[in-house]
Amino acid sequence: MNFETVVFYVFAALTVFAALRVITARNPVHAVLFLVLAFISSAGIWMLLEAEFLAITLVLVYVGAVMVLFLFVVMMLDINLARLREGFWSWLPFGATLAGLMVLEMIWVLGSYEVAEVDRVRTVVKHAADYSNTKELGRLIYTDYVYPFEIAAVLLLVAMVAAIALTLRRRKDAKSQVVSEQIAVQSKDRVRVVSMPSEPRS
């Protein structure tokens, strides 16, 4: 067993352990932190597969942005843990059945490979020291897959605009400022000087 195989099993064990702790941790903040650990160990596996761009993207996007947002949301929300655990035992058989079906599906998919295909997958192509996975991926995206890439960007832009439009709701009792009227206002329109006689001292 070489060094890369040992490192792979270490990262794989960390990923499985962190994934299990995400669904078994009692504290939501701890669950989010274990999810961060799962992403980091998955990024290590991507590095072993010489997919540096995917590993960096996983760390920067998910760990650096999405997980920080999740962590702030979980810490700011007042989550009633007792209420969340009320239906745990009633949903446990359904969850166990669904998990069993997923395990059987994974065994069926992985067991359908022939021995020759497994040997072919295990033989990882060794690249030169100056090989850049990010450079090759960028070359493919902006040459062979430039139109699908642009279409995906447009779809994401449309989805973002639609999400903003759906959440932007106008309320009837909402008040808004009219800047032109505020600039054109004069003192006589806002201030009134009233002459009142002085009262004698008692």
Side-chain angles (χ1 to χ4, degrees):
M1 185 179 292
N2 54 10
F3 178 73
E4 292 183 358
T5 306
V6 174
V7 175
F8 168 76
Y9 280 115
V10 170
F11 280 128
L14 276 176
T15 305
V16 174
F17 170 74
L20 290 175
R21 289 297 296 158
V22 167
I23 60 176
T24 57
R26 294 181 177 273
N27 193 337
V29 178
H30 294 168
V32 174
L33 293 178
F34 277 116
L35 188 57
V36 171
L37 177 60
F39 283 148
I40 292 176
S41 56
S42 300
I45 296 176
W46 283 116
M47 290 292 292
L48 291 176
L49 295 175
E50 297 183 1
E52 296 87 3
F53 180 77
L54 295 178
I56 294 172
T57 304
L58 188 62
V59 172
L60 292 180
V61 176
Y62 284 92
V63 178
V66 178
M67 284 300 102
V68 173
L69 178 62
F70 283 0
L71 188 61
F72 274 100
V73 169
V74 169
M75 292 176 66
M76 292 174 64
L77 291 178
D78 188 12
I79 301 176
N80 190 358
L81 298 178
R83 185 177 180 182
L84 290 177
R85 296 195 187 101
E86 286 180 354
F88 176 76
W89 294 108
S90 60
W91 287 97
L92 182 60
F94 176 76
T97 305
L98 186 61
L101 290 175
M102 293 179 65
V103 171
L104 291 177
E105 182 180 359
M106 292 176 65
I107 293 174
W108 176 68
V109 171
L110 296 176
S112 61
Y113 285 102
E114 297 180 357
V115 178
E117 293 180 353
V118 174
D119 294 336
R120 181 176 58 83
V121 172
R122 286 180 179 176
T123 57
V124 181
V125 178
K126 297 296 182 181
H127 298 284
D130 58 346
Y131 175 79
S132 176
N133 177 263
T134 306
K135 181 179 179 180
E136 293 296 326
L137 186 60
R139 184 184 62 81
L140 286 175
I141 287 178
Y142 289 105
T143 54
D144 298 342
Y145 300 99
V146 60
Y147 292 115
F149 184 74
E150 294 296 332
I151 292 173
V154 172
L155 290 177
L156 289 175
L157 178 62
V158 171
M160 184 172 60
V161 173
I164 296 174
L166 290 175
T167 56
L168 185 62
R169 299 174 181 174
R170 294 186 177 274
R171 297 176 54 184
K172 295 181 179 180
D173 56 346
K175 296 181 180 180
S176 60
Q177 296 179 346
V178 182
V179 181
S180 60
E181 293 181 0
Q182 291 180 346
I183 295 175
V185 73
Q186 297 181 2
S187 60
K188 62 181 182 180
D189 299 331
R190 294 289 183 264
V191 180
R192 186 179 60 178
V193 179
V194 179
S195 178
M196 297 180 61
S198 60
E199 298 180 0
R201 294 181 179 179
S202 56

